[in-house]
Amino acid sequence: MTDLPETEGKNLIELLDMLKPIPEPEPISMFPATSGWIWLGLALAALLLWAALLARRHWRANAYRRAALAELDGVGEDPVAIAEILRRTALVAFPRAQVAGLSGDDWLAFLDDSHGGSGFASDLGEILLTAPYRQLDAPETAGLHRLARSWIRTHRRPTA
């Protein structure tokens, strides 16, 4: 084997200095190679935007519930104030013609029907109707606050 003349008499360091550097590979593009990925990204972005709009609409549509719950927390177990909050909440959530004229057992039946329960048909419903006209003891009204909170949270608005 014949040595090349340019390498004769050189030490290892000089030989290493003669090596050509390894060529660097081309940088990898961050742009997708096919148009399918672009369309998938656009579809995903549109889906996320649609979900955000639906969430915003749901949040705004339930603002009356949050306000009623906050007010309900402020009144404690006062049945007169609870009755007023329930009436105002129903007037916001349902058509005025459907709610405004209800009284007595019809009002309680409406609350139960829109709530999907039967809590207002009990003694608590009767307390709700008669509270403005008589003095009540705290043990009599126990549970009314919880029932009103449950109705505000779970009543179903009419679809329109």
Side-chain angles (χ1 to χ4, degrees):
M1 181 162 151
T2 56
D3 287 334
L4 296 173
E6 57 208 36
T7 60
E8 279 184 33
K10 296 191 177 183
N11 63 21
L12 185 59
I13 302 288
E14 293 170 340
L15 288 173
L16 285 174
D17 287 341
M18 289 177 57
L19 288 176
K20 293 183 182 178
I22 298 174
E24 291 185 25
E26 291 184 29
I28 297 174
S29 172
M30 295 303 289
F31 195 74
T34 62
S35 62
W37 288 108
I38 295 171
W39 288 109
L40 181 64
L42 290 173
L44 184 61
L47 186 64
L48 288 174
L49 178 65
W50 180 65
L53 289 175
L54 282 179
R56 180 176 179 245
R57 183 169 42 165
H58 178 72
W59 175 259
R60 293 179 83 189
N62 285 312
Y64 77 97
R65 289 182 200 253
R66 290 188 303 277
L69 288 170
E71 192 173 346
L72 188 65
D73 287 340
V75 299
E77 292 286 337
D78 180 14
V80 176
I82 290 173
E84 182 181 330
I85 292 169
L86 286 175
R87 178 68 69 163
R88 283 192 321 223
T89 304
L91 285 170
V92 170
F94 296 90
R96 182 172 285 283
Q98 182 182 355
V99 176
L102 295 176
S103 62
D105 290 335
D106 292 337
W107 170 241
L108 298 177
F110 167 79
L111 290 173
D112 280 336
D113 289 343
S114 60
H115 179 247
S118 60
F120 290 100
S122 67
D123 292 339
L124 291 176
E126 194 63 33
I127 290 172
L128 194 66
L129 294 178
T130 60
Y133 310 108
R134 64 186 183 120
Q135 285 287 44
L136 296 169
D137 296 330
E140 289 182 77
T141 63
L144 186 60
H145 185 271
R146 187 172 9 117
L147 182 62
R149 174 176 279 287
S150 174
W151 184 85
I152 292 170
R153 281 185 162 175
T154 62
H155 70 270
R156 295 289 167 233
R157 296 175 65 164
T159 56

